[in-house]
Amino acid sequence: MIDIKAFREDPTRFRDGAAAKGMHVEFDRLTALDEQRRKLLSEIETKRAEQNRISKEIGPQMGKIKGQLKSAQGADRERLEAELAELEARPVKLKNEIAVSERMLNDIEPEWQAILLTVPQPPAHDVPRGAGSEDNVQMRTWNPKGFDASKPFAAQRGFAPKTHLELVRDLKLADFERGVKMSGTRHYVLTGMGMRLHQAVLRYAFDFMTQENGFSATGVPVIVKEECMVGTGFFPAGREQAYHIAESARGSGHDLYLTGTGEVGLMGLHADEILPLDALPLRYTTVSTCFRREAGAAGKDTAGLYRIHQFDKVEQVVVCEADDAQSRDWHKKMIGFVETILQRFELPYRLLQCCTGDLGVKNEDMIDIECWMPGRGDDGPDGRPTGAYGETHSASRLADYQCRRLNLRYRDGDGKIRHAFALNNTVLASPRILIPLLEIHQQADGSVRIPDVLRPHMGGLDRIG
RNA sequence: GGACAGGUGGCCGAGCGGCUGAAGGCGUCGGUUUGCUAAACCGAUAUACGGGAUUUCCCCGUAUCGCGGGUUCGAAUCCCGCCCUGUCCGCCA
């Protein structure tokens, strides 16, 4: 959420930001509602102050009269009753006026709030302007020894690569038919060495973050209340993307949602808290199952392990002081962690600076990491795919947007309370990462070599098949 | 799932219709005393929103005692609904 005061002072900044992101927001309506709201609030508060004053004044008088009334008779009694009625009537007009204003406030406040939640974080000044992913800017590429993603696979390795679908089928690593039988499209079953490899990469990534980088190992809920989804910025925009558990329809409790990333649980941890300065930066990592409806992605990446409804992900989250330099510094570090893993896995990848049009509502800067997947991309003359980069990681800087929604604050060196800055980045998502892993490390004989660092997690095996 | 009990400030805990943004204690911070530490003593110690100003932290107002609604001139205090926690019973991965 943006700071409404900042919006009042400089609405242009937010209008331009939304335009750069290609998002429509009812700014005019927001401004109008905000003005109305403030006016009503001010009215109500003034009247209520008056009402409180009167109450305080007449309270003791009324007590006294009521006391006298007990023993009063005849004309005396009538006089006292009249006095009492007069006192009681004094705040009635105010009370009615307040009720009217409050009703008006209650009418506009939900809409004011709803629009406010849709205003996106403006992009950072140095994020390239663009309409969508086609305008993202490649920053750099990395290739493992003996392989160059810019050249055809077969020319370098001496055989035509199989796609991960073929490898998975031949090596019996996954069973899509039975996955679909049980749960429908975009579901799968990991089998045998497929499941073991899945567990190995997750465990490797998780240990890497905790043991080598000092992140706190955390297990968080993947079933959360709506306020967690709103607080982390996934709702309202991403409502269609989340599985909804309609508990309220059963007559009790509140509805719940399945999280699409461990970020929700990790960021929700400290919602509504004021942290001491020395608690920062928070560095959390979790491994969690992620659920995504993939609404609107019909027909896209329908086969295989690329776009699925349920997967596991090691996520990293940092909450630091409200300082742009710190945020940028952590962003680089968090991307560096991913690069280290990919390099140890010997997977070719590239970094993309996402343009304004490819950013989400909540981030001001995003860098995607894409691994080279020989089985992706357009078909060549032989009718086989020629390979392409595919997104495996995404590193965002959110400034204070998320912490403001979550009401996550800290006390700075001057004792001032501020909303913290947040960042998040994938450490590793599987089974998607298995696609480049299998495809890049496949051998001429149809087996798949296991990178050195993963062998301890695979019972010492050096290959599959 | 059933039966009780209960949800008050950073924490413990009092209050059960106006004098209570809230006693007392602990903690924290500042100060005095002290050779140092400790102790003792003194003082301070919520947040949000709105308005104002001599706009860096000063004043005024409003709200907040789990959440929402109601009664009342006035609610932490009474009533209703919900959520949550504890204890016991049942069930169970």
Side-chain angles (χ1 to χ4, degrees), chain A residues 411-428:
Chain A
R411 214 175 282 276
D412 73 8
D414 299 326
K416 197 177 164 192
I417 289 166
R418 313 189 61 175
H419 292 279
F421 276 22
L423 302 98
N424 63 71
N425 186 3
T426 321
V427 177
L428 182 132

Side-chain angles (χ1 to χ4, degrees), chain A residues 94-142:
Chain A
L94 274 174
K95 213 186 153 189
N96 291 338
E97 285 174 11
I98 291 170
V100 169
S101 296
E102 268 185 335
R103 220 167 299 131
M104 286 165 76
L105 186 66
N106 289 340
D107 282 346
I108 64 168
E109 197 134 62
E111 193 188 351
W112 174 83
Q113 182 71 31
I115 299 176
L116 188 59
L117 284 174
T118 65
V119 180
Q121 169 71 25
H125 65 87
D126 50 352
V127 169
R129 233 183 147 94
S133 55
E134 65 280 5
D135 294 323
N136 292 344
V137 180
Q138 181 172 306
M139 297 167 69
R140 61 172 180 271
T141 62
W142 182 89

